Structures are given as C-alpha cells and as structure tokens.
Amino acid sequence: MKYVDEYRNPQSAQILLHEIEQITDRLMQHRTKPIKLMEVCGGHTHSIFKYGLENLLPSGIELVHGPGCPVCIMPKGRLDEAIALAQNPNVIFTTFGDAMRVPGSKLSLLQAKAEGADIRMVYSPLDAIPIARANPDREVVFFAIGFETTAPSTALTVLQAESEGLKNFSLFCNHVLVVPALEALLSNPDLELEGFVGPGHVSMVIGSDPYQVISERYRKPVVVAGFEPIDILQSIWMLLQQLESGRCEVENQYRRLVMPSGNVTALDAMRRVFEVREVFEWRGLGDITQSGLRMRSTYADYDAEVKFAIAKQTVADHKACQCGEILKGVLKPWQCKVFGTACTPENPIGACMVSSEGACAAYYKYGRLSLTMPQFKQSKQSKQSDSPTAAQAKEKAMVSRSGNALE
Amino acid sequence: MTHTVPSNPAQHPLFRKIEQSRRKRREVRDTTITLAHGSGGRAMRDLIDDVFVNRFANSSLMPLEDQARFDLTQLAAQGDRLAFTTDSYVVDPIVFPGSDIGALAVNGTVNDLAVGGATPLYITCSMILEEGLPIATLRQVVESMALAAEAAGVQIVTGDTKVVQRGSADKLFINTAGIGVIRSGVNPSAQQIQPGDVILTNGTIGDHGTAILMARGELALDTPIESDCQPLNGLVDAILNVCPQVRSMRDATRGGLATVLSEFAQASSVGIRLQESEIPVREEVVGMCELLGLDPLYLANEGKLVVVVPPADAEVVLAAMQSHPAGVDSRIIGEAIDSPAGVVLLKTAFGAERVVDMLVGDQLPRIC
C-alpha cells in the first residue's frame, strides 16, 4: 500500500480536522444554517462513510451526497431495455457487477440471469472482446454505463473491436457527463449548496478546467478531490478556505493524477467514438440536455441501439421513492418515506439503495449510527483530546504552504 | 480329442478362473468420468475401489456396508454429546493457490465441528461428478482429501458417488458430513455473548476469497496469495484447554468476519465494537480490495475463526492461540458492548465509528 498509506494517516487527518473546525467556527459566527457542501462522486460518498468522516466533521458542515453514482442515475426505461436485450437468446450481455442488482420495472439483471438470460459480469469492457471472439454466432453486447471515468475504456473497446473486424460486438451506450448534471442541479431553486467536492476520477479524464463554468457562472467553488480520506478532508478544508476568503475558484487537490486539461488520449478516444446526445434522462433528475453520450453514426455497426432498434422509453419511478430529491441534496436519505423499511439493500425500491456509492445504501450500510444518534458527531470531543502537537503544527504549516503536502 | 465335462459347471477351471478375475479389485482404465461410473455397475464399483476405498482405507470403511458403524462406548468416553454437521463444496476453480476443493471439503467440515467445541472424528464423502471430468483430477482431489483427513486426525468412513451429464454440474461437487464428540462442560453458543466479552481472531482475513478471485483468472492480476484453508481443531483444543467456558466460536467462511459478527450480535442481542487497526489483513488483500471496491471484512476464509471469551480469559486465550501454528497471528479485534444491540460497529483508524452491516448477496465490484 505504498503511496496510499500517506493518505490514510490518522495524524494528518487530525490536523486537517482541527483546521476545518477552526474555520467552521469562524464561519458559523455569522450564519445560522450549516455550510452545505456536495460531494458529487459516488466514490467520495463511499469513502466518507467507509472511514466515518461525516461523524468527524463539525456540526456546522453538512455533506450532501450528489448524483455521481453511475448506477443510481440509470433510468428505469434504459434498464428495462438492457434487460430486454439480455433476454434476447442471441445475445450475450456483459456488464459491470454493480449494475446487476439495480431494479428495472419488473426485474433486475441479476433476476433476469437467474431466469436464463446469458449475462456475464466483466471487470473491464475489454473483457467482452474475447467473449465475442469465442462466440462468433452470437451478439455480445456491453452495457456501457458511467461518467467520463469509464467512457474512454468503452471507446477503446469499440476501437479494438473495429481493428479486429469483430462483427458481433456492440455497446449499449448510457454514458453520462458530469458538468451538465451539475448545471442542472445548480438551476434548482431549492438547492442551498455552497461548494462542490469535485469528482476525482472524472477529472482525470476531463481535467479541472471544465468546472470553470460552475465557479464563474454559478459562483460556487469547486475543489477536485482524490478518494482517500485525507484527500477528502483536505478538499473540504480548501473549500472552507475559499468560503472564508470570499473566493470562488476551481482548485485541484488531486494534482497527483488530475491535469487542468485532462487526459488527451482518453478524450481523443471518446471523441472518435461518441457524440453528445441532445437530451438524456437521469433517474430522479429527469431529462437533462447535452448530458449523455451516444455512438457516432460512423460506429453504427457497434451500436446496440441501432442494431436492435432500441427506442427511448420513459418509465416512471416508484411513487414512494424520493431518490430524485436525495440526488439533488434536497432531502437526506433517512427523510425518504420508505428508507430502511420498504426500501433496503435487500429489496431496493430506488436506485440510490442499490450501489454502495448510492447515498441511501451508504447511510443504511455504514451510517445508521449517525441517524439514530444525532449527537454522535465527535468533533468537540476530538477538539479537546487531539489538539495538534508542535510536530503536527509543523506539518500543518507544510499543508498550508503547498496546498497539498502529500503530493 | 475329447473334453471331460464336469458334472457341476462351477467346478470347471475356466469358470473358476473367470470368477477369480471377476472378484479381483480392478483399476479404472478410463481417463475421464463417463455415465457408466455412476451406473451402479462394475465401472462404478471399480471407480469406488480404485479411487476412493484404496486411499481412504480405514476399519469403518473397509467392510463397505451401506453405513459406517461406531462403538458407543468409545464415543462416550470422549465427551457427553455428539456434534453432527454437513456442508457442500462447489468452488470454482477446483484447484487454487494453496489448496483445492478436496482439502476444503474436509477442513470445512472439521472446522464446523471444531468451533462447536467438538473433537471431529468421522467424515462422509459424497461426490457429484460431471461426465467428462478427468479421472486424474478426481484422484488429485481424493488424495488431497485423504491428506487433509490425516492432518486433522479424522477418518472418511462412508460415501456416495453420482455422475451427472456434461453441463449438469461444474466438474465436481463434494458433500461432506461429519460427526464429533463434545467434551463435557464445553458449550460455545452464539447466544451467550455478554457485554464486555472479548473478540479474537487467529490471523489475516480474506486470504481465501482473494486466492479464489485471483485463481479465476478474470482479473489479469498476479497476486501471490494462497488460500488459508487449514483444520482448526488443534487450535480450538488449545483454546478450550485454557478456557473451556469460551462463550462462542465460529469459522468465518462465506460472508467473512463481518457476517459472523453480525450473527453473534443478533443472536446475543449485544453490540460489537471492532477496532479496524487491530484486524489483520495482508497488504495484497487490501490492494485487491482497493482495485475492485471490495471489503476484506466480507471476504471468505477457510482457516480463520472468531472466538468470544470472557474478559478475564482474553489474554490467556490469546497466548494459547499464538502458541499454536494455526494461530501465530492471533489478535484481539474487538469487544461486545451493550448498545446498540444487534449491531456491529467498526472504529476506524480516525476514531470515527461506522456500522458493519450484513452483506446483501455477493459483493459486486464497483464501477469506479
């Protein structure tokens, strides 16, 4: 775990938490409501709960778990199409593991598999290529989901299939784009967000520059963050510093992997294979313009939507499900009427309860404690017992100077 | 020339020669399992004799009756209750780094008996074989079962063989059942854990689950992790020798450490608080979990147990475990608490606490 342990160091966390408390105390002197920060990425939500970070932050900070889980935002209609494709006896349907349990209208892919559909879990889209090679008489479809994080690898898979002259491979493309989703959120008058912990993996591909629109047009600070606990704490601290000094900028905490202009090779592959859709439906958020990718007509031979003549269908979410409000950060998961009772990870009604990156599943699996005991926040306690030593103060100075002492 | 025909044909030398040959134990000449090996006829008899009976030979098995028979007096001398368990093994691949399905089937049943405080004595071996399975593979698995039984000090005393058509099973499935005797005064149970009790485990978790994931070859990763498959009855003996009043024991197989502890918390209506920093996990396992978005707390183990003991006994049990070869890396990993009842909490390295819930279905790798 070399190069990772540094980002999980409890002493570094204590220093950052102390600093975060100090700034929060100062900010809270002039306000009555907590500071709401949204972590956009489901990977961040997962880390926050896995390491229990939410319970360590001062009560003046409220984390809002955003729409950045690719599984959670997959609309029911598209899932139904995927399941119908998988049930075609001529199709071998390949998918990432965590898409398997998401409920469609009637079934999940896992249930369809149990009923006889040939569905195979892969760890990379490229794994679908040897399956296609080995089954020339059947069509191998890859269920391409995810943000810009996974889109380059599916684009490369199409290019690989093309270079091999494979005729029996296609993508069911459901890739989505992060910035249009953030803009859609920011256009919501209910939203009270004051800053964004920017998605690290997406930013490795697109860079940090595309978030300028958030800071310039919507006047919200963005800090692109890595996924380790220290990354997340440091990005929160950087956001608070911006709020305190009245700045509104895009900053990059994840400089060890994210370049301002992104990854040129990955972006090239995406541009060759995909183009932006006029509109894409997001589960819970509805239609968002320019927010999804489809395959270019030059790659129609590899486009399952063309090969199988898939038409857009909209299927309403369950009436009781409030995933949409949760994805927007308007409601906390436990405020949903069915959270933890009718809707559980065993029997999810909404998609947010399926993946461990979903806000509801994360609360249910890791964070029930903070629901049942609101007083559980430990910040005051840690403030008394863990004030920084001289050595820690030195390290803190280093953090302040470089912006990211761990790089 | 004329032949003398005996009045009784059974006296004819050729008849006797044929009969001698017919009764002779024969070796299996086929190289793969065919449906004939499950037919109940000669091919099946040869398979059983050659592959199973030869290797498992013991006085309970050799009469080849339809059942193994035990002397009650001998059993009663070892304790005052019988423990009886069964389990089926359907692992893919059947041979993996550090072990195979055969050793797994024996050790799994040995361990299920041992964690009940029983001394494992007798095991059954029931095989479901897929048509086309190489006989050499079957021999390798049986050899592994025999060696595992010897190492654990148990006898494989009866069994069954079925052959199914190609495609109806995945190479081979094994069911084992086991009988053990529980010594007097020992009664570990998930229902008797009390707040304050101390929780221990005997080493790194998640090794078996990682080894299987790697062995499936779907990940193109080269991680030198071997399964921890091993018998735990010796280690359990060492624990019971110093702490016969042990509250509870379980081997942390499918579902891993988290699932066992969840079951403990719910059965005894106590809370359980784990110290993340004290739970031993190999770096390679941590790395693999990072890559795939899995949690080592839920990965399967085949040689790890969880022991709950009264607080006053914790140190002496820890020392006893660490002095046994199967427990050199033993640690105290947590404690039982009175609230929240039925819930497992994990204290992270940062001092925060989070819930460790029971797993829903399989762990599925995350997208990003």
Side-chain angles (χ1 to χ4, degrees), chain B residues 99-364:
Chain B
S99 195
D100 63 31
I101 190 171
L104 200 62
V106 172
N107 287 334
T109 292
V110 163
N111 294 347
D112 282 347
L113 291 170
V115 294
T119 304
L121 295 174
Y122 303 112
I123 282 188
T124 70
C125 163
S126 179
M127 293 259 182
I128 295 172
L129 309 174
E130 185 188 17
E131 184 186 14
L133 176 78
I135 302 271
T137 305
L138 180 63
R139 284 188 197 279
Q140 185 187 345
V141 168
V142 167
E143 175 67 17
S144 181
M145 292 186 80
L147 291 174
E150 283 160 28
V154 296
Q155 291 184 336
I156 299 172
V157 292
T158 186
D160 179 51
T161 306
K162 294 283 186 299
V163 178
V164 295
Q165 299 205 33
R166 188 184 276 271
S168 298
D170 186 7
K171 296 179 275 295
L172 87 164
F173 300 154
I174 305 177
N175 172 275
T176 47
I179 286 184
V181 178
I182 306 175
R183 59 171 101 171
S184 307
V186 169
N187 188 29
S189 157
Q191 295 177 359
Q192 53 193 13
I193 300 167
Q194 296 170 18
D197 285 351
V198 173
I199 299 156
L200 302 95
T201 190
N202 63 315
T204 53
I205 60 161
D207 298 353
H208 177 74
T210 307
I212 293 291
L213 269 176
M214 294 297 129
R216 284 185 187 154
E218 294 165 359
L219 296 169
L221 294 174
D222 185 16
T223 305
I225 276 281
E226 294 198 337
S227 167
D228 59 350
C229 184
Q230 62 176 342
L232 293 170
N233 49 335
L235 179 68
V236 168
D237 270 347
I239 294 168
L240 293 178
N241 287 342
V242 297
C243 183
Q245 66 279 16
V246 59
R247 301 262 203 241
S248 187
M249 289 188 284
R250 257 315 141 79
D251 53 339
T253 54
R254 258 182 321 169
L257 188 67
T259 303
V260 169
L261 292 170
S262 260
E263 286 168 1
F264 280 177
Q266 285 174 24
S268 283
S269 286
V270 293
I272 286 177
R273 179 183 285 127
L274 297 174
Q275 295 290 340
E276 186 175 37
S277 55
E278 294 305 312
I279 300 174
V281 191
R282 284 183 204 281
E283 276 195 356
E284 300 90 322
V285 173
V286 173
M288 200 266 322
C289 286
E290 290 292 327
L291 270 177
L292 297 180
L294 305 178
D295 188 338
L297 289 174
Y298 297 96
L299 286 178
N301 311 278
E302 288 297 343
K304 296 291 150 42
L305 50 68
V306 187
V307 191
V308 187
V309 298
D313 299 318
E315 288 304 326
V316 66
V317 168
L318 179 64
M321 289 172 74
Q322 287 174 336
S323 63
H324 190 275
V328 283
D329 295 323
S330 295
R331 301 258 191 98
I332 291 174
I333 57 167
E335 59 175 344
I337 51 179
D338 52 9
S339 173
V343 176
V344 181
L345 305 176
L346 182 82
K347 188 145 193 171
T348 71
F350 301 129
E353 279 187 348
R354 68 165 168 90
V355 171
V356 177
D357 211 346
M358 208 175 259
L359 198 61
V360 180
D362 278 340
Q363 284 202 95
L364 299 174

Side-chain angles (χ1 to χ4, degrees), chain A residues 77-153:
Chain A
R78 299 293 284 186
L79 258 168
D80 286 353
E81 291 294 355
I83 291 163
L85 260 177
Q87 287 173 323
N88 182 330
N90 192 40
V91 165
I92 299 173
F93 195 79
T94 54
T95 174
F96 290 131
D98 55 358
M100 298 281 277
R101 260 201 308 260
V102 194
S105 301
K106 297 187 182 78
L107 294 175
S108 65
L109 284 166
L110 204 60
Q111 288 162 328
K113 180 171 159 55
E115 289 184 2
D118 191 348
I119 300 173
R120 305 187 193 179
M121 196 175 79
V122 292
Y123 296 92
S124 150
L126 280 166
D127 294 343
I129 297 280
I131 298 175
R133 241 184 263 136
N135 295 276
D137 53 335
R138 295 175 73 194
E139 178 77 8
V140 174
V141 180
F142 177 68
F143 188 28
I145 69 172
F147 287 82
E148 292 95 328
T149 320
T150 51
S153 61

Side-chain angles (χ1 to χ4, degrees), chain B residues 1-6 12:
Chain B
M1 222 176 135
T2 56
H3 288 285
T4 312
V5 180
H12 193 286

